[in-house]
Amino acid sequence: MKKIARYLLALFIIISINFFIPRLMPGDPITNLMGEDYIVSQESIDALKAELGLDKPLLVQYVTYWGDVIRLDLGHSFHFHTEVSQIIASKLFWTTALVGLSILFGTLFGAILGALSGWGKNDPKNKTLTTFFLWIYCTPPFFLSLVVLYVFAFKIGIFPLRGFYETGTFTDIAKHFFLPVLVLSLSLASRNYMIMRGSIIQEKGKLYILYARAKGLLNRGILFRHAFKNASLPLITLVALDIGFIISGALFVEIVFSMNGMGTLIFDALLARDYPVLQGIFLIITIMVVVANFLADIVYGIIDPRVREQR
Amino acid sequence: MSCLHIKHLTVTFETLMGTVVAVDDVSFDHESKETLALVGETGCGKSVIASSILKLLPDNANLSGEILYGDKDLLRLSERELADIRGQEISIIFQNPTLALNPVYRIGDQISELFRVHKRASSKKSKAYATSLLGRMGFKDPEHAFHMYPSQFSEGMNQRVLIALALALHPKIIIADEPTKGLDDQLKEEILKELMKIKEEKESSLFLITHDFDAARNIADRVALMYCGQIVEIALSPDFFDEPFHPYARGLLKSLPSHDFAPIPGASPSMISPPEGCRFHPRCAERLEVCSHEMPEPIKKSGRIIRCFLYR
């Protein structure tokens, strides 16, 4: 209960900060809105201020802001000329699908391969796999994207270079999705592999592992029935954070693959200085991070009884 | 009839500091249904013998010799064959019960696992077995105990769980590696009593590893004394405590608070470069000329096995 209250407080503070930051910025919002090259009469400025509600006291503005947040009204974009919430909603699905799939594959493969690698002997096969993942781990995803795009789309030509629209058939979408999902999955898997490998190596020396062997369990049984659950604890926070950043995590990859998602939207909004859009996105990201942390807390409690007791 | 023959068992560990000879040419028989206590100070290699029997040693260990169980040499069995024996025919109780249990699984599930693995019992059946075992081990509310986690139990309760696990499948041999270490005297007594009671019932033999002379005196049929990787004396328990043969055994008994409280001079030698000749000679009050350059071989003498030149 105490934890839930703490998370609610965090949300309240974050949403409030989101209200105050633009008001703390130097300069006049109207000038900002119109651009500095326009010369506008004082009456028009006053009229605009009244229309935007900026002439009211700060407290009234704050209350109105909360009302908007609750109604999911994130304001109006002056670059795209639509409601911010509508723009975000239209891009959200594909990004979530892209990053969600990648988190799924990246976690599954990274954790299982990492566990096997940490458990097994340090033979050449194992070393090769570790070197491979270390290599991926050290490569920035956008560079990896450029490389696979160059090789598979430009040189070999089995995957499309660009042109993703959400109306294609299933195979069409799969074709466009394959490379970016591959890159993102690999980069997530490489991190998860490293964490899981280290974690398993640490668990391997513990007495309960030896005892499981003494009970008559075989190697794989000990790994997946005993070591894996304990070793996966450090991974949970990381995967939760991945989910928290699900909508912005693929920024560079989306841009390189010209995908029509949140990453590209953030990029365009940045270039156009479209503050309402950015503000709306930041708000959603922070809320997602808080929610993901909350979920991680719950999962910890389910897996580890020692965490549960401390509540 | 003996159920376990250990012949010329030698265990060495490769470490950065050099090769450690933890167990040096140890031979003894373990009779069925008997309680054999292996005593010695910390670090003399007692626990390594225990772990060797089930081949639970780390990868840097080299084992040689034979450990015969029936017609099988345990050191030469495959991992799969060993897994069938472990927990079912030979079980072990560790000295740190709370660390030996997996922290993220319920006590009951960790007991049930044994029936699932060895008997292929259904989850319902193994749950029933586990609950009844917990009841037998003195848990007043076994249903409740089933759902507890090791971190919610005391050290003594977890030790009971380990004993329950060790006895669950009526093994031929139970190895108890300092099962009462770190427990208070009353609990110690209770745990040993419980262990002996069920051991008699199931007609298992008990191989008790301890540095607690009182425990050995109270429950063991025979005592084997170890010093620096070697067994220096094996005798029936009353004989050993009434009239120990080996100078080390005499020194140890004299050092007990209930006797003279007089320590043996000197410190235990390094296992990497043990002293030449008899391992004990630098600390021995009765050493002979031969002791410093020749290693005594174990010999039989009035029903005991002794490794000392005084009894040649």
Side-chain angles (χ1 to χ4, degrees):
Chain A
M1 264 342 269
K2 224 170 126 192
K3 245 177 197 164
I4 295 174
R6 224 160 38 209
Y7 278 109
L8 285 177
L9 183 70
L11 272 181
F12 174 79
I13 293 174
I14 287 163
I15 295 173
S16 299
I17 289 175
N18 202 49
F19 167 80
F20 285 110
I21 281 183
R23 284 159 180 82
L24 291 173
M25 282 197 296
D28 181 58
I30 301 297
T31 326
N32 201 354
L33 191 67
M34 307 290 295
E36 281 171 10
D37 302 335
Y38 290 90
I39 299 163
V40 198
S41 69
Q42 190 60 40
E43 288 94 67
S44 324
I45 289 178
D46 288 344
L48 253 174
K49 267 195 178 170
E51 193 194 319
L52 294 171
L54 289 172
D55 56 341
K56 299 203 179 79
L58 208 58
L59 193 68
V60 177
Q61 288 183 32
Y62 183 61
V63 172
T64 321
Y65 164 80
W66 265 103
D68 291 344
V69 169
I70 288 162
R71 273 181 281 116
L72 293 175
D73 180 355
L74 299 173
H76 190 86
S77 158
F78 34 78
H79 178 69
F80 297 98
H81 303 292
T82 10
E83 294 299 311
V84 171
S85 47
Q86 262 177 25
I87 303 169
I88 293 177
S90 71
K91 314 268 178 181
L92 203 59
F93 176 75
W94 290 106
T95 299
T96 314
L98 171 72
V99 186
L101 275 177
S102 309
I103 291 175
L104 187 72
F105 293 141
T107 308
L108 229 57
F109 286 112
I112 291 173
L113 289 175
L116 287 173
S117 154
W119 190 254
K121 288 203 176 67
N122 207 10
D123 53 9
K125 209 173 76 194
N126 207 336
K127 274 183 188 155
T128 315
L129 195 66
T130 306
T131 314
F132 169 74
F133 274 117
L134 192 63
W135 189 77
I136 301 279
Y137 189 47
C138 299
T139 314
F142 71 86
F143 181 72
L144 202 62
S145 307
L146 283 173
V147 172
V148 297
L149 202 60
Y150 179 74
V151 174
F152 292 103
F154 189 67
K155 281 282 172 191
I156 305 179
I158 44 174
F159 289 106
L161 261 173
R162 53 169 296 130
F164 177 76
Y165 299 104
E166 39 266 33
T167 45
T169 58
F170 178 76
T171 40
D172 204 30
I173 292 168
K175 256 188 169 174
H176 279 92
F177 253 44
F178 185 83
L179 286 181
V181 168
L182 180 77
V183 169
L184 276 174
S185 301
L186 270 178
S187 77
L188 286 171
S190 69
R191 186 206 61 198
N192 295 341
Y193 176 90
M194 293 298 160
I195 302 281
M196 200 61 189
R197 189 181 132 86
S199 193
I200 284 281
I201 287 174
Q202 236 174 43
E203 293 297 319
K204 205 159 73 164
K206 294 204 171 152
L207 191 64
Y208 74 87
I209 299 292
L210 190 71
Y211 188 61
R213 197 180 294 280
K215 272 161 88 177
L217 268 79
L218 284 163
N219 228 349
R220 283 285 155 83
I222 302 170
L223 171 60
F224 286 111
R225 280 166 85 153
H226 285 276
F228 195 85
K229 201 171 168 188
N230 285 287
S232 62
L233 290 171
L235 210 59
I236 291 169
T237 319
L238 290 171
V239 173
L241 281 178
D242 289 340
I243 295 171
F245 286 106
I246 198 165
I247 57 170
S248 65
L251 195 102
F252 293 112
V253 176
E254 272 189 7
I255 294 165
V256 173
F257 285 100
S258 322
M259 307 278 289
N260 198 10
M262 292 294 288
T264 316
L265 176 66
I266 295 173
F267 186 64
D268 289 345
L270 264 174
L271 287 185
R273 287 167 203 253
D274 194 340
Y275 293 117
V277 170
L278 287 175
Q279 212 183 333
I281 291 171
F282 291 154
L283 189 67
I284 290 177
I285 292 173
T286 40
I287 291 172
M288 297 251 327
V289 171
V290 172
V291 170
N293 267 305
F294 180 61
L295 287 178
D297 253 345
I298 292 175
V299 174
Y300 264 120
I302 293 171
I303 292 187
D304 194 338
R306 290 163 298 183
V307 175
R308 219 175 313 159
E309 281 157 35
Q310 278 162 17
R311 293 237 170 108
Chain B
M1 205 190 79
S2 64
C3 56
L4 199 66
H5 295 279
I6 297 190
K7 286 185 184 168
H8 305 293
L9 177 70
T10 298
V11 185
T12 58
F13 292 96
E14 297 303 329
T15 69
L16 294 174
M17 308 281 289
T19 304
V20 177
V21 185
V23 175
D24 185 9
D25 192 16
V26 160
S27 303
F28 66 91
D29 289 349
H30 188 27
E31 308 292 327
S32 40
K33 296 183 204 170
E34 80 162 341
T35 300
L36 173 66
L38 181 62
V39 294
E41 42 197 300
T42 306
C44 69
K46 311 187 292 284
S47 294
V48 177
I49 293 184
S51 302
S52 311
I53 295 172
L54 286 175
K55 265 185 99 176
L56 293 172
L57 292 168
D59 291 339
N60 64 342
N62 301 308
L63 291 93
S64 65
E66 288 176 351
I67 299 178
L68 297 173
Y69 170 73
D71 54 355
K72 293 173 219 154
D73 181 357
L74 296 182
L75 295 185
R76 274 153 200 89
L77 288 187
S78 71
E79 193 58 23
R80 191 168 283 276
E81 290 168 305
L82 271 169
D84 276 343
I85 291 176
R86 289 174 184 151
Q88 179 162 241
E89 297 188 38
I90 305 178
S91 62
I92 189 164
I93 302 166
F94 282 133
Q95 51 179 296
N96 292 315
T98 307
L99 293 178
L101 293 166
N102 192 332
V104 299
Y105 286 106
R106 295 181 302 185
I107 294 285
D109 291 328
Q110 300 195 45
I111 300 177
S112 310
E113 189 177 35
L114 207 61
F115 300 107
R116 301 262 278 277
V117 169
H118 288 294
K119 298 290 178 207
R120 310 239 166 269
S122 68
S123 66
K124 211 174 140 195
K125 253 194 176 153
S126 34
K127 190 184 167 179
Y129 285 141
T131 315
S132 76
L133 254 178
L134 282 168
R136 288 234 30 209
M137 279 315 293
F139 288 96
K140 291 210 180 60
D141 186 353
E143 277 289 335
H144 178 69
F146 188 99
H147 294 279
M148 297 295 268
Y149 288 90
S151 57
Q152 296 166 320
F153 272 179
S154 70
E155 193 81 357
M157 284 155 106
N158 281 332
Q159 192 56 281
R160 277 170 206 272
V161 173
L162 245 61
I163 292 175
L165 269 160
L167 301 160
L169 298 173
H170 315 295
K172 293 238 169 54
I173 305 170
I174 301 159
I175 303 168
D177 187 358
E178 309 210 24
T180 54
K181 196 178 184 179
L183 300 179
D184 63 60
D185 281 350
Q186 199 197 335
L187 203 56
K188 218 181 248 183
E189 209 171 294
E190 261 175 55
I191 294 265
L192 285 176
K193 223 158 102 197
E194 203 81 45
L195 190 60
M196 289 309 289
K197 197 177 96 198
I198 302 181
K199 178 231 151 204
E200 297 292 333
E201 236 171 78
K202 315 259 167 167
E203 306 198 318
S204 311
S205 76
L206 178 65
F207 183 45
L208 176 73
I209 288 146
T210 184
H211 55 228
D212 183 348
F213 270 24
D214 288 332
R217 193 203 305 256
N218 289 340
I219 67 172
D221 300 313
R222 284 196 303 149
V223 175
L225 176 68
M226 223 179 152
Y227 183 75
C228 194
Q230 296 178 327
I231 288 192
V232 294
E233 181 167 355
I234 304 177
L236 290 174
S237 172
D239 296 349
F240 180 83
F241 286 105
D242 288 347
E243 192 204 338
F245 274 15
H246 199 281
Y248 175 57
R250 282 205 288 271
L252 273 183
L253 286 174
K254 252 187 227 159
S255 71
L256 291 179
S258 53
H259 289 71
D260 298 349
F261 215 2
I264 304 170
S268 310
S270 140
M271 307 279 267
I272 293 178
S273 49
E276 254 183 72
C278 172
R279 297 273 162 92
F280 187 60
H281 87 266
R283 301 169 75 188
C284 183
E286 300 162 63
R287 66 168 166 261
L288 307 169
E289 165 57 30
V290 62
C291 298
S292 60
H293 51 83
E294 209 176 304
M295 171 101 78
E297 289 302 318
I299 48 164
K300 276 194 177 145
K301 182 97 180 179
S302 35
R304 311 186 185 203
I305 292 169
I306 180 114
R307 202 188 253 267
C308 181
F309 284 120
L310 291 176
Y311 302 89
R312 205 160 36 168

